[in-house]
Amino acid sequence: MQLYNTLSAEERAIMIDDAGKQRLTLSFYAYAQLQNPTQFRNELFLAWNPLDVLGRIYVANEGINAQLSLPADHFYAFKDTIEKYDFMKGIRLNIAVEHDDHSFLKLTIKVRDKIVADGLEDETFDVTNIGIHLKAKEFNDLLEDPNTIVVDMRNHYESEIGHFTSAIKPDVDTFRESLPIIEEQLSEHKQDKKLLMYCTGGIRCEKASAYFKHKGFENVYQLEGGIIEYTRQVKAEGLESKFIGKNFVFDHRLGERITDDIVSQCHQCGEPCDVHTNCVNEGCHLLFIQCEKCKTAMENCCSAECVSIIHLPEDEQKAVRRGVINGNKIFKKGKSDVLTFKNNSESHSVFNANEPKKDIIKEPKIKKSYVGKAIHFFPKASIGQFLIEENEIKIGDKILIKGSTTGEQQMVIDEMFVDEITSEKAVSGDHITFKLPFRIRLSDKLYKIVN
């Protein structure tokens, strides 16, 4: 009995091309009480494999979360396989805005503790006491209400390429991180504001809305079907799309265009761009935004180090990426010291719900180039030490030291030591130290301000 994939991604891609059939990409979720998720998983695999269903599906005691693709002519046969289960009868299937026959190249169905890693103890609150679902027009109307706070429940790399224009976008790597942050920042507005949430397909909001109601928020709303269903309704009803840019998706495409707006920038040069890619170095796979020019120049890599690695013989590449420490670098998403430019035009952290939504005056953007990172602080002498990773620093340069705790601190270097020797200039690879009127942290980054 076959309960796993036997074909490689390359073999599957060839079979898809040879079949010449249009494939649909879709997603859905359902919360339910499953007594035996392993048995359920095996039943799905046996039913879907003959239909050439491919995708990434998670099942748990609490239900199912699925992103998949299948031949269009198998759609109704597929619906029959899921509607044999009572909890999935009449379920909404979110059909992708854009289709790619190669969006998925494997059928992977995994049994997990949860269908979304939310970090919550479900037994401590009523997970069925969810917020009010809104369709696209209702969502648009509520966005215009001055007492509405709209929150993006996705991660930073998702919201960076597309979002609702007035949304709070927490600067988080995972869904579980956003919940306590949002609760803390909006703690004073549990009664006087309407909390409006959205995510990709609706599943994160389903749990988050119940959590926030448990925490005392009285007016909780969520976008029914997420951005995917919102876009379908906007097109079908001729509505204005309040969502701009691209919707990040978790398949080969990494995004589908909603509007022509480009709201993000290449992480390497700063040019307008919203195309995500993974670093081609097998020991890195950093997810980041890269324009075509940088893709060509950097050979689809995130850094010069990765470029050098991909030109090594395969056995040497394997030796470089061997080990737990190197393995922990794999699949990071959009945050790395090696990225020479990051989009700093919008704040992803603190939100003041009393601030007006319109006519906000933004501080002029500081032009800067990344130089290096903090590696030590000597408290008694008030001296900071940095590793220069790119560019150079000279006496008289105006610098910016930036970090989540340090904030943004500017100063002019009037004296510095390079590898413990007084010097006028420091270049890549040098260790520099100089006096500071504030304490720095190891997570701080050093930039040179460009006039």
Side-chain angles (χ1 to χ4, degrees), residues 101-344:
D101 290 344
H102 293 174
S103 58
F104 292 101
L105 296 174
K106 291 182 180 180
L107 175 57
T108 303
I109 309 178
K110 294 185 177 181
V111 177
R112 292 281 183 87
D113 291 333
K114 287 194 170 189
I115 56 177
V116 174
D118 51 39
L120 299 176
E121 297 180 12
D122 292 356
E123 63 275 8
T124 63
F125 66 101
D126 184 0
V127 297
T128 66
N129 184 25
I130 60 176
I132 298 172
H133 286 80
L134 298 178
K135 296 189 180 301
K137 187 179 185 308
E138 298 169 318
F139 191 87
N140 280 358
D141 292 342
L142 203 56
L143 284 176
E144 301 302 316
D145 188 330
N147 288 318
T148 293
I149 300 173
V150 58
V151 180
D152 194 321
M153 297 306 302
R154 302 171 302 156
N155 304 325
H156 72 90
Y157 54 91
E158 299 173 78
S159 62
E160 186 172 14
I161 61 171
H163 48 258
F164 283 94
T165 52
S166 56
I168 305 171
K169 303 178 290 295
D171 186 18
V172 294
D173 294 327
T174 62
F175 172 55
R176 70 172 66 195
E177 293 176 66
S178 66
L179 296 173
I181 292 174
I182 293 168
E183 183 196 356
E184 179 182 356
Q185 292 183 6
L186 304 182
S187 60
E188 298 180 1
H189 302 286
K190 294 183 177 182
Q191 287 78 41
D192 65 329
K193 298 291 183 180
K194 298 172 183 175
L195 178 58
L196 180 59
M197 297 179 293
Y198 69 91
C199 58
T200 306
I203 187 170
R204 283 175 275 191
C205 294
E206 201 80 358
K207 184 67 70 70
S209 67
Y211 171 79
F212 287 127
K213 290 185 72 173
H214 169 68
K215 288 295 184 176
F217 287 84
E218 296 183 358
N219 306 294
V220 181
Y221 302 82
Q222 60 196 91
L223 179 59
E224 182 180 17
I227 300 163
I228 298 173
E229 175 63 13
Y230 173 87
T231 303
R232 188 195 67 78
Q233 292 180 19
V234 163
K235 291 184 176 181
E237 300 173 26
L239 304 174
E240 177 189 359
S241 178
K242 300 288 187 177
F243 184 96
I244 58 173
K246 291 173 73 173
N247 180 29
F248 186 95
V249 292
F250 293 88
D251 59 54
H252 172 75
R253 298 169 298 155
L254 296 178
E256 53 186 13
R257 181 150 309 281
I258 308 301
T259 70
D260 293 333
D261 303 274
I262 308 294
V263 300
S264 52
Q265 295 162 294
C266 173
H267 286 169
Q268 291 177 318
C269 72
E271 287 298 308
C273 179
D274 57 9
V275 179
H276 273 107
T277 187
N278 285 106
C279 178
V280 75
N281 175 15
E282 292 291 340
C284 178
H285 280 177
L286 174 72
L287 178 74
F288 67 107
I289 297 175
Q290 187 179 50
C291 68
E292 283 298 319
K293 182 179 178 180
C294 289
K295 185 173 184 176
T296 300
M298 298 296 294
E299 301 182 57
N300 206 171
C301 289
C302 66
S303 65
E305 179 183 4
C306 283
V307 172
S308 65
I309 289 174
I310 66 172
H311 289 289
L312 294 174
E314 182 61 30
D315 58 338
E316 292 186 33
Q317 290 189 46
K318 290 181 178 179
V320 169
R321 61 179 180 259
R322 188 176 295 123
V324 176
I325 295 177
N326 287 333
N328 287 338
K329 297 177 183 177
I330 297 177
F331 302 123
K332 297 296 182 183
K333 297 178 172 65
K335 288 185 176 180
S336 171
D337 295 342
V338 304
L339 299 176
T340 53
F341 183 94
K342 287 291 289 181
N343 181 8
N344 297 304

